[in-house]
Amino acid sequence: MENLGFGDLTVLGPMEEWPVGRLFAAATRLSGPVVWRIVERHGISPAGFFLLRLLVVEDGLRPSECAKRLLVTPATVTSVVDTLERNGHVVRERSHRDRRGVMLRITDSGRRLVAEKSGPIGADLHELYDVVDEGDEAAVRRFLLNLIKQFETYSEGTQGKGDRA
C-alpha cells in the first residue's frame, strides 16, 4: 500500500494488526479516488454528478455553499458549473434577495441525467462496499453509527477524550 499521507506505515506492522482507527482512516483515504473512478466509468464527471445530486436535493444553492458541501474549492465548482451549464444541466440565476449573488439551479436535463446515472452508479457502489460478512454486519453497523455520533459530537465543539489540556 502506498503512503497515504500518514508517514511510514510499515512501522505499524502488518495491516491486520493496525488499530481500528488507522484502518478506518486508510479505507476512507482510499475510497474517494475509487468512487470517483466508478462514477467516471459511467461517462460523467464525478464532481458534476455529485453537484447535480446536491441540487436535486436542494436546488438554488450558491456556488460557495456547493463547494463547502462537496469539500472542493470554489474554483472547482466554477469550472464544473461552466461545463454543466454549457451542456444544459444547470443554470445560474441572480439571487432574488441579493442581486449580486448567484444561485445554481438544476434543469430538467440535469434531473434526467442524475436519474439515468444514479441506478447504475449506485449498483457499482453497492458492489464495492459489499464486503461485510453477514455475521459481522451488526458489529460493523454499531461501530460506524458510534463513529458518526463521535464525529458529530466533535463537530459541535465537544472535545474528544484525547483533547484534554
Side-chain angles (χ1 to χ4, degrees), residues 11-106:
V11 299
L12 295 174
M15 193 182 318
E16 294 76 15
E17 297 173 11
W18 287 5
V20 171
R22 182 69 60 160
L23 288 169
F24 181 80
T28 301
R29 186 73 60 97
L30 290 168
S31 71
V34 172
V35 168
W36 281 57
R37 281 195 304 275
I38 286 172
V39 173
E40 285 174 338
R41 276 199 330 235
H42 291 275
I44 186 169
S45 135
F49 178 72
F50 292 120
L51 177 60
L52 289 173
R53 282 194 46 206
L54 179 60
L55 294 175
V56 163
V57 174
E58 194 171 348
D59 200 14
L61 293 172
R62 291 179 180 267
S64 59
E65 182 61 25
C66 292
K68 180 179 168 186
R69 293 187 190 190
L70 296 173
L71 304 175
V72 298
T73 65
T76 296
V77 169
T78 298
S79 175
V80 168
V81 169
D82 287 346
T83 301
L84 291 172
E85 189 174 41
R86 195 171 40 253
N87 292 329
H89 302 310
V90 298
V91 293
R92 290 176 169 105
E93 288 183 0
R94 288 277 165 218
S95 170
H96 298 295
R97 286 183 286 179
D98 173 7
R99 300 294 293 161
R100 294 169 296 168
V102 172
M103 310 303 277
L104 301 178
R105 300 255 181 226
I106 189 167

